[in-house]
Amino acid sequence: MAKKTKKPWSKKKRIIVSLIGVFALIYIIVIAWHTFKPLPQGVSFAGELHKTNNIQLLTDLTFAQDQKGTNTIHENHIFDEVYRTIEEAEEFVVLDFFLMDGYYDEDEDFPNIAETLSSTVAKKKKANPDMPIVFITDPLNRGYGSYESEWFKKMRDAGVEIVYTDLDELRDSTPVYSGIYRIFFQWFDIGGKGWIANAMASDAPKMTIASYMTLLNVKANHRKALVTEKAAIITTSNPHDASGFHGNIALKLDGPIINDILEAEEAVSLFSGGPKLPRIKTENAEGEYQAQYLTEKKILDALLNDINDTKKGDTIWLGMFFVAERSIVNTLVVAANRGVEVNLILDPNENSFGREKSGLPNRPVVQELVEDTNEKINIRWYNTVIGQYHTKTIWIQTPEHTVISSGAANYTERALENYNLESNVRIIAPNESELALEMEQYFHRLWNNEDAMYTVEVDEYQSDFTWWQRWIYAFQTYTKITTY
């Protein structure tokens, strides 16, 4: 029986297959380039260790007597100090904040942070028209080109220089989508009047399709910093009304580190079309504390070194909103298994601005930490009666000293692998110093529920854990289709 001969492809079929092949090749090349392209100069910055005697711990806490919210109390100190620091500036003010607006749908009497901060900055500029005042921010605050918010307009009208970070200069963290976005969607006209409801809040200005396409290419300038010639504040908090009842930590400090912060912020300003930033006149200072400014992956590098240096009998306390970065998870497991006391206070990832969340990524990570250490790691969930436990702070104590790292960076790949812009300050302090003792008191207060129900047992949320959460987490980690 004669063999059937294959029919040759038609010209049309050959053209289609060739076009698919060319597109696939372009798609792969675009993904590879935007995933691994060189970072803008000055990104992923590690400053020198500088001495200072002046470091102030600032905290925001919302707590109640039970999980129902009985006798809820808000202790907010961070933005009061931010306003005061701006008002006391005499030479310049530089701000870099990720999220600043007053839009929300929840029925809560949130503090008017966006209005107060924008008014404080605008008033400062009007009273000092020759003073350089620069506000660096994420394009989220203008709907990725769909509108100008009333708070940024107020500051701009007063003469404040607003710099919207050029996110295109940064690497893309969601390759599956970014390939399509870079080939097609990034060329869409961002201008025009928005007509699609804003995901942030129903009363927020509407957005265009092009803006949503940019939003879905998830990345951000996630930094949270204020700098003047007198002091700098590195915080975990955003000037966002609906975040006003979140738990947060800030560190206010002075000295030569100010110039390192300005150098790192100037890099963002310059690649985003903004101005050069001023510097302070300073000499090498003396003091009991050593402070270092770190951004992006340099935060991770220092953190892994500090955890790896711990020995049996040392102590790690971690207060964190998101924990998912694999190298950190693995390093914490190894530390606990060699005898380091590891205590974690985590947000349960239960809600986000009134919307219920799935518990990702913290709940599957917690189950992994518990299993891989045979319950050697001690974990409690923050009792988030309102808002989130938005803190991003680690405190490591050895017989020699205390190391503190705090700031914008969640412990996620997006934050610590040179995708987002992040800002942290790393402190080396004597164990008996005021800062180390205050940090110890802070964590013990929350862990031991000294005057309220700050935290609950790990099983409070892990009992609701279901198999699909871990699978979804694994799928998101593998594909990078996630916001963390």
Side-chain angles (χ1 to χ4, degrees), residues 234-483:
I234 308 302
T235 181
T236 71
S237 51
N238 290 301
H240 174 233
D241 290 10
S243 301
F245 294 149
H246 288 359
N248 283 296
I249 280 180
L251 293 168
K252 181 178 180 179
L253 65 171
D254 64 11
I257 193 175
I258 287 175
N259 279 340
D260 285 355
I261 300 171
L262 290 167
E263 181 180 344
E265 293 304 319
E266 183 177 81
V268 180
S269 178
L270 291 179
F271 79 69
S272 302
K276 289 186 175 183
L277 302 180
R279 300 290 193 274
I280 65 170
K281 294 180 180 179
T282 183
E283 298 178 357
N284 290 332
E286 293 300 320
E288 64 175 336
Y289 303 117
Q290 296 180 78
Q292 182 182 29
Y293 190 61
L294 301 167
T295 71
E296 293 77 66
K297 193 173 186 295
K298 292 298 191 295
I299 300 169
L300 176 63
D301 295 342
L303 179 63
L304 293 178
N305 286 335
D306 289 332
I307 297 176
N308 283 325
D309 285 344
T310 57
K311 299 176 178 62
K312 183 177 180 179
D314 294 346
T315 303
I316 296 173
W317 287 87
L318 179 66
M320 188 59 55
F321 181 55
F322 280 162
V323 176
E325 216 287 328
R326 295 312 312 165
S327 60
I328 294 178
V329 173
N330 295 339
T331 303
L332 289 173
V333 168
V334 172
N337 285 332
R338 69 169 172 265
V340 178
E341 180 186 339
V342 182
N343 306 304
L344 276 59
I345 299 175
L346 303 177
D347 184 88
N349 300 159
E350 186 178 34
N351 67 78
S352 177
F353 307 121
R355 298 180 178 87
E356 186 175 349
K357 291 187 65 180
S358 63
L360 300 174
N362 286 356
R363 295 192 204 175
V365 170
V366 162
Q367 178 161 320
E368 179 182 342
L369 290 170
V370 170
E371 291 176 355
D372 291 352
T373 63
N374 292 319
E375 301 185 3
K376 293 187 184 75
I377 287 184
N378 309 305
I379 302 169
R380 293 182 68 84
W381 300 105
Y382 197 85
N383 178 29
T384 50
V385 291
I386 299 176
Q388 302 166 344
Y389 186 61
H390 196 250
T391 300
K392 309 154 199 333
T393 301
I394 193 167
W395 167 50
I396 302 171
Q397 193 160 71
T398 73
E400 293 77 31
H401 54 235
T402 294
V403 178
I404 299 164
S405 181
S406 184
N410 284 297
Y411 289 179
T412 65
E413 182 180 21
R414 191 178 303 280
L416 298 175
E417 293 288 355
N418 288 333
Y419 295 117
N420 281 357
L421 296 177
E422 306 284 353
S423 55
N424 267 41
V425 62
R426 174 175 173 263
I427 309 294
I428 300 176
N431 289 336
E432 298 304 316
S433 64
E434 182 178 358
L435 177 64
L437 294 175
E438 285 181 348
M439 189 68 76
E440 181 177 18
Q441 182 181 14
Y442 167 86
F443 276 112
H444 284 186
R445 177 188 181 189
L446 272 53
W447 191 270
N448 297 321
N449 290 333
E450 290 182 358
D451 52 12
M453 183 179 281
Y454 297 101
T455 58
V456 297
E457 297 284 348
V458 66
D459 291 341
E460 184 69 30
Y461 290 102
Q462 291 307 97
S463 60
D464 293 330
F465 188 89
T466 54
W467 67 270
W468 57 264
Q469 282 179 298
R470 195 157 191 173
W471 281 106
I472 292 173
Y473 168 69
F475 172 79
Q476 289 180 332
T477 301
Y478 179 74
T479 61
K480 298 187 178 182
I481 301 175
T482 174
T483 58

Side-chain angles (χ1 to χ4, degrees), residues 33-296:
W33 169 250
H34 286 288
T35 302
F36 301 107
K37 66 185 180 183
L39 295 169
Q41 185 176 357
V43 172
S44 200
F45 174 88
E48 300 294 324
L49 276 167
H50 298 285
K51 292 184 177 180
T52 179
N53 273 319
N54 302 311
I55 301 182
Q56 181 181 358
L57 173 66
L58 305 165
T59 62
D60 285 353
L61 281 174
T62 289
F63 53 90
Q65 296 302 312
D66 53 34
Q67 290 180 270
K68 295 179 180 179
T70 303
N71 296 329
T72 297
I73 295 174
H74 309 293
E75 288 184 358
N76 289 351
H77 304 293
I78 294 175
F79 276 99
D80 286 343
E81 193 64 32
V82 168
Y83 309 144
R84 186 179 301 112
T85 302
I86 294 170
E87 290 166 351
E88 292 175 351
E90 296 178 355
E91 296 179 15
F92 64 85
V93 178
V94 176
L95 307 98
D96 189 346
F97 281 103
F98 164 60
L99 176 58
M100 176 174 165
D101 72 44
Y103 305 121
Y104 56 88
D105 289 330
E106 293 175 84
D107 187 20
E108 292 287 347
D109 187 19
F110 290 115
N112 296 321
I113 304 174
E115 176 61 30
T116 306
L117 180 58
S118 60
S119 296
T120 301
V121 173
K123 181 180 177 182
K124 187 71 176 181
K125 183 63 177 178
K126 288 178 180 177
N128 304 272
D130 295 329
M131 177 185 289
I133 301 182
V134 180
F135 200 127
I136 304 169
T137 192
D138 189 87
L140 169 67
N141 291 305
R142 59 172 180 176
Y144 301 97
S146 289
Y147 56 84
E148 181 179 36
S149 82
E150 60 185 273
W151 302 282
F152 281 93
K153 184 178 186 301
K154 178 194 302 180
M155 292 187 290
R156 182 177 59 79
D157 288 347
V160 176
E161 186 144 14
I162 309 298
V163 179
Y164 292 101
T165 306
D166 184 359
L167 299 181
D168 281 342
E169 295 294 313
L170 305 178
R171 293 171 181 169
D172 292 337
S173 59
T174 313
V176 173
Y177 175 76
S178 66
I180 299 295
Y181 170 78
R182 293 293 187 178
I183 294 171
F184 298 111
F185 301 143
Q186 71 169 326
W187 311 113
F188 283 17
D189 181 18
I190 295 294
K193 187 176 180 180
W195 57 277
I196 305 173
N198 195 309
M200 297 295 293
S202 59
D203 63 341
K206 290 182 168 54
M207 294 172 59
T208 65
I209 292 178
S211 294
Y212 264 108
M213 295 300 99
T214 303
L215 181 153
L216 292 173
N217 192 40
V218 183
K219 56 183 173 180
N221 176 356
H222 195 244
R223 294 181 184 180
K224 311 170 202 314
L226 164 68
V227 199
T228 74
E229 81 285 352
K230 294 182 178 180
I233 296 177
I234 308 302
T235 181
T236 71
S237 51
N238 290 301
H240 174 233
D241 290 10
S243 301
F245 294 149
H246 288 359
N248 283 296
I249 280 180
L251 293 168
K252 181 178 180 179
L253 65 171
D254 64 11
I257 193 175
I258 287 175
N259 279 340
D260 285 355
I261 300 171
L262 290 167
E263 181 180 344
E265 293 304 319
E266 183 177 81
V268 180
S269 178
L270 291 179
F271 79 69
S272 302
K276 289 186 175 183
L277 302 180
R279 300 290 193 274
I280 65 170
K281 294 180 180 179
T282 183
E283 298 178 357
N284 290 332
E286 293 300 320
E288 64 175 336
Y289 303 117
Q290 296 180 78
Q292 182 182 29
Y293 190 61
L294 301 167
T295 71
E296 293 77 66

